[in-house]
Structures are given as structure tokens and as C-alpha cells.
Amino acid sequence: MTKKLFIFICLLAVTNFCGAQTSFDDYKKSMDEMFDSFVEEQNREFERFTAQQNAEFAAFVEQQWQLFDDFCKSSSPFSKPKLQEAPIAPKTNSGRSLDLDKVIDFVVKSVPTKNGQSTFKSVGNTNVVVDFYGEKLSFDVNNNLRIHLAGISERNVADYLRSVSKNSTDALNLWKDIDRKSVNFGLNEWGRYLLVKAVAEKLFVSTDDRVMFCFYLLRNMGGYKVKVGRSSLTNNLVLLLAIDNAKEVYNYGFFSFNENGRGVKYYLVYGKDSGSVYTYNLNQQDLNLSQIKLDFDAPLSIGYCDRIRELKINGLNTTIDLPFNSKNIAFLDDVPQTVFPIYFVSAMPKESQKMLNEKFGGLKEQYSAQKAVEVILDFVQTAFDYKTDDDQFGREKYFYPEEVIAYPYCDCEDRSALFGWLVRNYLNLPVIGLQYPGHIATAVCLEEDISIDGATTFNYGGKKYYLCDPTYIGAGIGVEMPNFRTVTPKVIKLKNL
């Protein structure tokens, strides 16, 4: 009975298909029209909301700006010069055991007004092609967003904001495109800023127009803490960006602004360096905005790896052809230098990881934890030539793991970052960084009961960590440089991968 009923229903459906098709097409058309109407209403609601917010903010910005002159820069964490050469370890060693739980952690905590109005081009879109570190990216930008400032006074800035707020849906669509491309490349939030800046530099000739375009997109579409100011020296607009205040940023100057009793650093990232700026103080809307993060949540991949470096793995009696991406390297050189933990946990490109998996992926199963760590430690000690950043670049520069592969030389913190990433990624062992005066090393928790004669160990967080120094050539697990044996290092605590 059930089978016959099923056949009858099928026959009935086939019989009525032709007549039903027209009804379905009408239904689909009606649903499409309803959806389009819904989207239009949502856009109108978004524009009404942003227009009200912008009107309030424009009125606030139009008030006379204050002079801020506490321009500062953070100093390097190295209190003493680095080692000029990578030392070679002796064959014998005498170690020590230290309790580091009481040591302070170095840890990531997660003008006159000009007459006239702002002007903009006619309605329509402009296809903007941006060269982003060698990758050609295309953006459709509505010409109503190509607004030119009439001047750089408070009133001129307020007029710009009133004009651009009329095109918030177009701005949001552009931001979504920028965000999609950022995610595809594995960019951090600083990378989003650089992509916005690249679009601005294609749209405008004037730095002041570029600053305002970046300011509006980052603040109103991205939701980031950003200020626009006017240099007291050059009489040009500057962009001030709140970069993750839980970390130090070493190569950008900043101004500190009071936000509900808490000082927030805003770094001068665009426009000419200035000892003082005119800008506005706290606006209540800014309390809901976010600081720009420097952390990478995914492997950086601006295109594909285009270079290969052959390196020896003595402990496995083999070599590895390790690819890297020259576009990634150019981008990383423009990322603000910050605290050490970021460099220990940022991933290699997927192509590099594939080759590393072939060599190191089986270490955990093939060897004891001690032997596996020794293989990786020897690799980092011997595969790379040592040179300080001052000698190689004339400035301090911390490497992400991929940069260790790309550059001909590296120094202590670079080797430690690569070693730490390899051990955590392929052996799944806990690692901490160790900061000595003028030197960075690491320590690994082997998570097994072993005995290494003369080994330097550290008790931290209820676990026993063995010193591993990727710069001390030939030094095995637990071997410490003699000149640091009387020093208690600071701990560089790393977040989970």
C-alpha cells in the first residue's frame, strides 16, 4: 500500500510539473524581490545609524583641538650589547638549577580654516589596482569615496566626515573586500591597515587626503582606535593608531591619551614625524573601538613561496630544501617590531611546513624526547650563520621564523624563535624563552624522567625545564654559556599554538 501511494504521488508530481513550473518561477521572483528589498532596507538602516554617529563625532571633532607634545619611543629590551660571535661550547659542562616562578614574566597579555567644502568625483566606480608587495589586487571603489579635503582645520575635517558618511554602504562594501583579501593572505590586523593605506595611495595624491581616507575606513568600518591629528611642525595631517598596548612597539613614536583614567598609546604611523600634534581628546565613541593587533592567527601567504634555501640537518644526516616567500619577507620587514613572544609562535608558510613535516614530522615517534630535541637544537645551531642585527642591517630587527630562512644571517633571538616554534610544533613539548642581558635562549620541558650530567635546569610553573641555547654552537641540552651562569634570566612565556 505504501509503495503504491509513493508511485501515485510521483505520477501526480510529474503530471503537475509543467503547470507548477510557472508558479515556482513567480514564487522565486517574488522571493528575490523580497530579499532585495530587505537588503536595501538594511543598507538604509545602516546608513541612518552611521550618519547619526558621524554627525555626533563630526560636531565633536569640529571643536578646537588641543596640543599634545609628549611624543615618546620605547627603548629596546636589550640592556647590553649582543654577542659579536656565536661561541662554541666546550666538551665538559657544569650546570645549575634555578627556580624561575618568582621571576617577572615577559608575557603577552592576548590651522587656519580654508573656505570651501570637501569635493568628490561623480557617481560611479573606479577600478583601483594595488601592488601589495608584488601581488596585484583589484578593488572597485565608488567615486563618492574619493573626497578631497578643502583644508586641514578642525572644521575642514568635520566637513569631510559629514560628506563621507553619506556613502557608508559603499565604504562598508570596500572594507569587506579589503577584509576578504586580508584573510586570504593570512595578514594580521596591521596588514589590514597597510592594505587600506595602499588603496589610499592609489586614490589620492595628497597625504592629507590619504590620512583622512585611512582614518575613516579604519575607525568607522574596521572599528579600530585611530585618531587624526595636525602636526605642529609641518602643518599636515597625521594618522595615530592604537597598536596593542599590551605589547611594546619599538620603532614607532607615540602619544599617550587619557581614556577614563587609563593612558592609551597612539602611534604615529602615517604622516611626517612630529614632536607635537594638535588633536582631540577622549570621545565616548572611541571607548567601544579596538586596538590594532600584531599577532598572526594564520600562516602568512602573500602569494606562494618563490625561493628555496638548502640547509643541512646533521642529526638526521640529510639536507632540506626549505621554501620561503619573498613577498612575505618584504611585508614582515614593515611590521612594527614588538615583544619576543610573537616571534616564537608565528607560523611558517604552508609550503615550508610541508617540507619540515617530511623531515621532523616523525621525530616524536622515532626518538625519545631528549634525542628529538637534540636533533632540532643542532639543526638551528649549525644550519645558519651568526651575525648581529647591527652588523647585518645597521639596526635592531627581530625575525619571524620564516625570516630566519630568508636572510643569510641571524642572531640569538631569531634562532630561539625558530627553535621554539619547531619544538612546539613537531614535538609538542612546552617551551619558554629566557632573556639574559644582551642574549636570548630557550628552555624545554622534556616531560620525562631523565638525567643529564651537569645540565642547567629551571623550575617554572611546577615543571622542570632544560636549558637549550640555539646560539651556543655544539652545546647540548642543559649547557649554559659561562658568562651567564651567575645571571637569573627573565622568562618569556609563550601562548599556546
Side-chain angles (χ1 to χ4, degrees):
M1 180 68 181
T2 304
K3 183 176 181 182
K4 290 181 179 180
L5 179 62
F6 175 76
I7 294 172
F8 173 78
I9 293 172
C10 290
L11 289 172
L12 184 62
V14 170
T15 303
N16 292 307
F17 177 79
C18 294
Q21 184 65 42
T22 302
S23 299
F24 176 76
D25 289 343
D26 291 342
Y27 171 75
K28 183 177 182 300
K29 180 179 179 182
S30 174
M31 292 300 294
D32 288 343
E33 290 174 350
M34 288 176 62
F35 179 75
D36 291 342
S37 176
F38 171 76
V39 170
E40 289 176 5
E41 178 57 32
Q42 289 294 105
N43 287 341
R44 285 193 293 269
E45 181 63 29
F46 174 73
E47 290 193 347
R48 283 193 293 269
F49 173 76
T50 56
Q52 179 182 350
Q53 292 284 299
N54 279 338
E56 294 173 359
F57 184 65
F60 175 82
V61 168
E62 199 167 17
Q63 301 171 31
Q64 185 173 359
W65 291 355
Q66 302 174 40
L67 179 66
F68 293 85
D69 56 5
D70 58 338
F71 190 62
C72 305
K73 282 192 177 182
S74 297
S75 58
S76 168
F78 285 107
S79 58
K80 290 186 177 181
K82 294 181 182 177
L83 301 168
Q84 287 303 302
E85 295 181 352
I88 298 175
K91 293 183 179 180
T92 57
N93 179 61
S94 59
R96 56 179 177 149
S97 179
L98 287 180
D99 187 348
L100 294 182
D101 281 314
K102 296 181 180 179
V103 178
I104 298 174
D105 289 355
F106 191 168
V107 58
V108 175
K109 298 203 176 177
S110 305
V111 195
T113 299
K114 295 183 180 179
N115 294 324
Q117 296 292 321
S118 301
T119 60
F120 53 88
K121 292 204 167 192
S122 59
V123 177
N125 283 7
T126 297
N127 183 255
V128 177
V129 178
V130 170
D131 185 340
F132 191 72
Y133 297 94
E135 284 290 303
K136 302 294 184 183
L137 302 177
S138 178
F139 298 91
D140 283 328
V141 182
N142 191 289
N143 284 328
N144 286 335
L145 296 175
R146 301 184 72 177
I147 299 174
H148 298 279
L149 285 156
I152 58 171
S153 71
E154 290 88 333
R155 196 184 82 185
N156 296 140
V157 170
D159 286 344
Y160 175 97
L161 293 173
R162 294 186 181 103
S163 296
V164 75
S165 68
K166 299 173 184 176
N167 309 288
S168 53
T169 298
D170 297 318
L172 181 61
N173 290 335
L174 175 58
W175 176 260
K176 287 179 178 178
D177 195 14
I178 289 171
D179 188 60
R180 278 193 297 269
K181 290 177 169 64
S182 298
V183 171
N184 289 341
F185 281 168
L187 301 180
N188 58 1
E189 292 183 352
W190 173 262
R192 283 175 172 78
Y193 155 64
L194 291 183
L195 196 47
V196 170
K197 179 184 173 186
V199 173
E201 290 178 344
K202 291 292 290 187
L203 289 173
F204 304 102
V205 175
S206 163
T207 299
D208 295 331
D209 289 337
R210 293 171 175 176
V211 166
M212 282 306 301
F213 181 83
C214 291
F215 169 76
Y216 177 74
L217 271 191
L218 291 168
R219 181 186 184 277
N220 290 59
M221 300 299 122
Y224 292 119
K225 285 183 180 290
V226 58
K227 288 178 178 285
V228 61
R230 185 174 60 247
S231 169
S232 64
L233 300 178
T234 64
N235 229 22
N236 290 108
L237 295 184
V238 295
L239 190 69
L240 303 171
L241 191 58
I243 305 173
D244 193 348
N245 277 208
K247 306 173 178 66
E248 292 292 341
V249 175
Y250 298 116
N251 48 349
Y252 283 88
F254 64 87
F255 295 90
S256 184
F257 296 91
N258 188 312
E259 294 191 359
N260 282 359
R262 183 171 62 94
V264 177
K265 297 176 184 177
Y266 281 74
Y267 294 83
L268 199 160
V269 298
Y270 202 13
K272 293 186 178 179
D273 233 355
S274 174
S276 56
V277 295
Y278 289 95
T279 188
Y280 50 91
N281 211 326
L282 175 67
N283 179 268
Q284 291 300 312
Q285 291 182 15
D286 293 343
L287 295 177
N288 299 319
L289 302 178
S290 302
Q291 299 178 16
I292 285 271
K293 294 181 180 178
L294 297 176
D295 305 78
F296 288 89
D297 296 325
L300 184 64
S301 54
I302 305 176
Y304 300 96
C305 290
D306 56 348
R307 307 286 170 84
I308 293 177
R309 184 173 180 184
E310 184 183 28
L311 298 166
K312 290 183 179 180
I313 308 176
N314 293 329
L316 299 179
N317 195 29
T318 187
T319 60
I320 183 172
D321 291 328
L322 203 50
F324 63 92
N325 185 333
S326 61
K327 296 169 186 175
N328 287 358
I329 301 306
F331 170 79
L332 291 172
D333 197 44
D334 287 337
V335 176
Q337 186 173 290
T338 185
V339 294
F340 296 124
I342 267 193
Y343 303 92
F344 281 75
V345 299
S346 297
M348 290 275 208
K350 293 177 181 178
E351 300 98 317
S352 305
Q353 291 191 45
K354 181 180 178 181
M355 297 304 298
L356 288 166
N357 287 341
E358 293 180 7
K359 303 296 182 180
F360 296 138
L363 287 182
K364 189 175 179 181
E365 288 72 31
Q366 296 173 19
Y367 300 106
S368 66
Q370 179 181 348
K371 175 61 177 177
V373 169
E374 287 173 348
V375 169
I376 295 177
L377 181 60
D378 178 79
F379 168 66
V380 179
Q381 287 175 348
T382 60
F384 307 97
D385 291 330
Y386 181 91
K387 186 177 283 190
T388 65
D389 295 324
D390 274 345
D391 289 339
Q392 186 170 191
F393 302 107
R395 60 186 171 91
E396 192 62 49
K397 175 178 168 56
Y398 306 154
F399 283 172
Y400 292 87
E402 185 180 6
E403 292 181 289
V404 180
I405 310 303
Y407 287 100
Y409 307 100
C410 56
D411 61 13
C412 59
E413 76 274 4
D414 312 322
R415 292 162 174 255
S416 295
L418 176 60
F419 173 76
W421 184 84
L422 289 171
V423 169
R424 279 157 44 98
N425 199 66
Y426 293 105
L427 305 183
N428 197 30
L429 294 174
V431 177
I432 57 174
L434 302 172
Q435 184 182 359
Y436 297 91
H439 185 59
I440 299 292
T442 64
V444 178
C445 177
L446 297 177
E447 296 189 329
E448 60 183 28
D449 187 17
I450 64 170
S451 177
I452 302 176
D453 292 339
T456 292
T457 61
F458 304 97
N459 298 312
Y460 181 76
K463 294 182 178 181
K464 185 177 182 179
Y465 287 80
Y466 288 81
L467 174 70
C468 294
D469 194 333
T471 304
Y472 200 10
I473 297 174
I477 295 173
V479 181
E480 188 173 26
M481 291 187 191
N483 47 323
F484 295 126
R485 286 178 184 166
T486 60
V487 178
T488 300
K490 292 182 180 179
V491 175
I492 303 172
K493 186 177 179 181
L494 310 179
K495 70 177 185 180
N496 293 332
L497 289 173

